[in-house]
Amino acid sequence: MNKKFYNPNRDGIKIQTINVTMLVMIFLICASVFVAAFRLKSKVGDIIKGMEGYALCTKAVNDFRDTSDFLTNQVRFFLIMQDESYAQQYLHEYSTIKNRESALSIIKQWHDADDADLNMKLAFEESQMLAKTEMYSIALTYSALGTGLGALPAEIRDIKLLPEDLELSAEQKLEKAEELLFDINYQNSKSRINGYTTKVLEYVITRHLANQGRDTIIFNRHFLVQIITIIAMLISGLALFIATNILILSPLNYDIKSIRSEKKMHVVGSYEMRLIAKSYNALREKDEIKASVLKHKAEHDPLTGLINREAFNQIKEVLSDTAEPVAYLIIDIDFFKSVNDKYGHPVGDAVLKKIAAILSEQFRNTDYVARIGGDEFAVIMTKFGDTPEIVIQRKIETINRMLQNTEDGLPKVSLSVGVSISTMGYNTNLEEQADKALYHVKQGGRCNCSFFTLERA
């Protein structure tokens, strides 16, 4: 039979041709399935490894920040409380535990020589410079306390105080140590550390999302190849395709959109997709909690829980752009130093907490109560009526009566308050005016409040 072309409609399909064709097709399809399966396994491993690196790096950055704040708190507590245990905890972290060095090593391991590594090194260098200031402050505090050379920790023993600092009195040394830990240079250095670590986090997140998006796209491609080969091998593969689409492909598309919009993944689909979604969501929740804790620590005084000076200054800037009336109160505890001298700093701290609680209770949610210094508080009142002087006078009288109550075992104290009022939002003159009013209260016997007037200016 001399035929140039084979015509199946006329001659029929040969079983041998069908068998050989099917055998070749099955072999090719199976080979394609195996190749696609191994590629999928490899890509899932890459995704999991990328998520592991992301988790380790974000934890390292947050640990670095926490450690930096811990060192700051310990050296400040040592200065305020004059309790050597705080200095020992500071030096133990600095010389033995070395969380900052560990964080630096982790970032280098996963981001060697890129922007994250560079900014982490800058944060560490800035932190080391800050540590020199903190160590010098510790040395000044030990010197003020009269601690002998032999009793000093080894890390402090080699620090040489400046000749002019050696000539200071004990009280002046403590004041110098406090200035080092609270001046603008120290705060700027802390801000630079936070800025560098924020850049590290942004780079880590951006790179992680980019890698995850790329890996997801490749994962999708391999998966689609696998589906197509299964459909080609069996007609019934259509049902398998639909099931796989429901279990993996659709959840994966949802998750891609969730990642791009920085939302949580949908915990649906297959076991692998649910595992990836749960792991990703857990990491997001952990980062959100840590960010919230860091934000709260940055804006609140650790002893009283009130807004700190830095956050209070930000509130002033916001209120300076408004046209509504505000009242500025500067509050000073009368003879607070004598409380610390007579009863000790723990009792003094308890008094500060009590005052903070009473101020928070007496003022409204629309008011801003802050601790801006050791025994100094401030309040900005907004949304008040036509007679703020009467309202404020009554509040201060009530607060002073409450502070005379000693049922809680704390000594009696009183507050002197200077008040200035602006009809057009916050302005920088309010603090000076409130200070003048406060001076008038102190001259008049304390335990009262006074309002700034032009006659007293």
Side-chain angles (χ1 to χ4, degrees):
M1 193 170 56
N2 186 16
K3 294 182 179 180
K4 189 174 183 181
F5 299 102
Y6 173 67
N7 189 340
N9 292 326
R10 184 186 61 191
D11 299 329
I13 298 174
K14 295 181 178 179
I15 298 297
Q16 183 178 4
T17 302
I18 294 176
N19 289 339
V20 171
T21 302
M22 288 299 300
L23 182 61
V24 172
M25 288 181 61
I26 290 173
F27 176 82
L28 294 175
I29 290 172
C30 288
S32 299
V33 169
F34 280 113
V35 170
F38 281 110
R39 287 181 175 177
L40 283 173
K41 180 181 177 182
S42 174
K43 190 49 59 182
V44 169
D46 292 341
I47 292 173
I48 293 174
K49 183 179 180 181
M51 294 182 70
E52 177 188 358
Y54 170 75
L56 288 173
C57 290
T58 52
K59 182 180 184 302
V61 175
N62 288 320
D63 286 346
F64 187 98
R65 284 180 170 180
D66 290 344
T67 302
S68 177
D69 290 340
F70 172 83
L71 293 175
T72 296
N73 290 335
Q74 296 308 301
V75 70
R76 285 178 174 175
F77 287 160
F78 175 55
L79 171 64
I80 295 171
M81 304 296 188
Q82 297 177 12
D83 182 346
E84 190 179 2
S85 64
Y86 291 113
Q88 292 173 346
Q89 291 179 45
Y90 177 98
L91 296 171
H92 181 64
E93 168 57 42
Y94 181 85
S95 302
T96 305
I97 299 179
K98 298 184 177 181
N99 277 322
R100 296 174 306 149
E101 286 84 349
S102 298
L104 186 67
S105 176
I106 290 173
I107 293 298
K108 181 173 181 59
Q109 177 184 350
W110 290 89
H111 295 274
D112 187 23
D114 62 15
D115 287 352
D117 186 32
L118 174 61
N119 280 287
M120 199 65 182
K121 288 177 180 176
L122 291 173
F124 181 77
E125 291 173 2
E126 189 70 38
S127 182
Q128 287 294 86
M129 293 176 62
L130 204 62
K132 292 181 180 178
T133 300
E134 293 165 348
M135 299 279 267
Y136 191 86
S137 176
I138 291 174
L140 268 176
T141 304
Y142 268 119
S143 178
L145 296 177
T147 305
L149 184 63
L152 290 176
E155 296 88 345
I156 303 301
R157 204 173 299 149
D158 296 332
I159 295 178
K160 303 297 182 183
L161 297 181
L162 296 175
E164 57 267 28
D165 290 343
L166 288 172
E167 295 175 3
L168 298 175
S169 65
E171 184 176 352
Q172 289 173 330
K173 288 177 180 178
L174 291 176
E175 289 176 353
K176 178 67 177 293
E178 181 178 355
E179 180 182 351
L180 290 173
L181 296 177
F182 290 92
D183 66 6
I184 189 63
N185 292 328
Y186 189 91
Q187 298 302 326
N188 287 340
S189 187
K190 292 289 290 184
S191 297
R192 285 192 292 271
I193 291 172
N194 288 333
Y196 290 137
T197 52
T198 297
K199 289 181 180 179
V200 175
L201 280 176
E202 290 173 350
Y203 182 88
V204 169
I205 293 172
T206 301
R207 179 174 170 180
H208 170 70
L209 293 178
N211 290 342
Q212 194 169 48
R214 181 199 61 206
D215 291 340
T216 303
I217 291 172
I218 298 174
F219 180 91
N220 252 342
R221 290 173 180 171
H222 294 328
F223 178 75
L224 288 174
V225 170
Q226 190 173 26
I227 293 298
I228 292 172
T229 55
I230 292 174
I231 294 174
M233 184 172 57
L234 298 170
I235 296 176
S236 60
L238 179 61
L240 180 61
F241 171 77
I242 294 173
T244 307
N245 188 64
I246 293 173
L247 293 175
I248 298 178
L249 191 57
S250 294
L252 187 60
N253 289 328
Y254 281 128
D255 292 340
I256 293 171
K257 295 177 182 178
S258 298
I259 293 170
R260 288 175 177 169
S261 59
E262 298 185 355
K263 297 179 180 178
K264 290 185 177 180
M265 289 184 177
H266 296 274
V267 185
V268 293
S270 67
Y271 169 80
E272 292 81 5
M273 291 308 303
R274 288 175 180 267
L275 178 61
I276 293 172
K278 288 178 181 178
S279 301
Y280 179 85
N281 292 344
L283 288 173
R284 283 193 59 84
E285 290 176 359
K286 189 174 181 181
D287 289 344
E288 290 170 359
I289 291 171
K290 285 192 174 182
S292 176
V293 170
L294 287 173
K295 185 174 185 296
H296 186 274
K297 286 182 178 180
E299 295 180 350
H300 289 77
D301 173 50
L303 178 65
T304 62
L306 296 179
I307 298 170
N308 61 22
R309 181 184 288 273
E310 183 177 351
F312 196 58
N313 288 337
Q314 293 175 1
I315 291 170
K316 293 177 187 176
E317 292 180 8
V318 173
L319 293 178
S320 65
D321 295 330
T322 66
E324 64 179 28
V326 300
Y328 185 88
L329 289 72
I330 185 165
I331 302 170
D332 191 61
I333 306 173
D334 298 329
F335 307 111
F336 182 68
K337 185 177 184 302
S338 63
V339 174
N340 278 332
D341 293 342
K342 183 176 181 180
Y343 300 97
H345 287 284
V347 173
D349 289 346
V351 170
L352 289 173
K353 291 180 181 179
K354 177 181 179 180
I355 292 173
I358 292 175
L359 290 174
S360 298
E361 176 186 340
Q362 291 299 313
F363 287 93
R364 306 159 301 165
N365 291 335
T366 55
D367 302 329
Y368 304 95
V369 183
R371 182 187 179 199
I372 59 176
D375 61 341
E376 192 174 14
F377 298 82
V379 179
I380 293 179
M381 294 181 63
T382 63
K383 297 181 175 60
F384 46 77
D386 297 331
T387 58
E389 293 86 354
I390 297 175
V391 173
I392 293 171
Q393 182 73 45
R394 289 176 179 172
K395 283 182 182 291
I396 301 306
E397 290 174 355
T398 300
I399 292 170
N400 275 327
R401 283 197 299 272
M402 296 174 72
L403 292 175
Q404 298 299 305
N405 185 354
T406 60
E407 293 181 0
D408 54 6
L410 296 177
K412 294 180 181 180
V413 292
S414 62
L415 303 181
S416 294
V417 183
V419 186
S420 58
I421 298 175
S422 166
T423 58
M424 293 295 291
Y426 176 84
N427 63 75
T428 55
N429 294 327
L430 289 177
E431 290 188 51
E432 181 180 352
Q433 294 170 357
D435 276 329
K436 292 180 179 178
L438 177 62
Y439 176 79
H440 181 78
V441 175
K442 292 183 177 181
Q443 291 294 102
R446 304 176 187 264
C447 191
N448 202 349
C449 74
S450 176
F451 297 83
F452 174 81
T453 61
L454 293 176
E455 292 77 9
R456 296 174 183 170

